[in-house]
Amino acid sequence: VQLVESGGGLGQPGGSLRLSCAASGSIFSIYAMTWYRLAPGKQRELVAHITTDGSTNYGDSVKGRFTISRDNAKNTVYLQMNSLKPEDTAVYYCTVTYSDYNLKRYNYWGQGTQVTVSS
């Protein structure tokens, strides 16, 4: 399985960035995709989570600013980040919960993409 994350980089306070994460490989079915983030000196934090049927939940610090969505046909999840704050600076990791063709369930992590919010 591969997770290809893109869209990270430098954003300005109050600005926007959009992250993408595409899953490929021996995937029979995807159950959920999730974004986490890890900032220096802080614990890993749930950013946003979406299931196959579109149910979502968000970390408290991003509610109302970030939106997660997915394209099931492309096995891709997106994270639209608006009203960026310096404290959003972190490495953002995409994860996928899926089953393979033997119907065995896995959780797989991407390599992470750096998001830096600074003027």
Side-chain angles (χ1 to χ4, degrees):
V1 171
Q2 279 192 317
L3 287 176
V4 178
E5 299 152 322
S6 60
L10 178 65
Q12 293 203 338
S16 299
L17 286 173
R18 189 190 194 213
L19 304 183
S20 300
C21 174
S24 62
S26 299
I27 296 172
F28 175 72
S29 181
I30 291 179
Y31 301 107
M33 298 185 80
T34 308
W35 288 98
Y36 290 91
R37 67 186 182 187
L38 183 61
K42 296 185 178 180
Q43 289 189 331
R44 186 180 68 195
E45 179 183 14
L46 170 71
V47 178
H49 173 84
I50 187 166
T51 62
T52 303
D53 64 1
S55 298
T56 59
N57 66 284
Y58 296 89
D60 288 341
S61 61
V62 306
K63 283 180 182 176
R65 300 188 299 121
F66 290 11
T67 302
I68 190 170
S69 61
R70 62 187 285 178
D71 184 333
N72 291 335
K74 296 181 179 180
N75 286 345
T76 298
V77 65
Y78 306 95
L79 185 68
Q80 179 66 42
M81 305 186 294
N82 297 331
S83 302
L84 287 167
K85 302 177 180 180
E87 49 265 43
D88 294 321
T89 296
V91 178
Y92 284 70
Y93 295 91
C94 172
T95 78
V96 59
T97 303
Y98 71 98
S99 62
D100 64 10
Y101 290 94
N102 294 316
L103 302 184
K104 187 174 180 181
R105 198 156 173 161
Y106 296 90
N107 192 52
Y108 189 81
W109 287 69
Q111 294 298 307
T113 184
Q114 176 70 46
V115 171
T116 302
V117 182
S118 175
S119 55

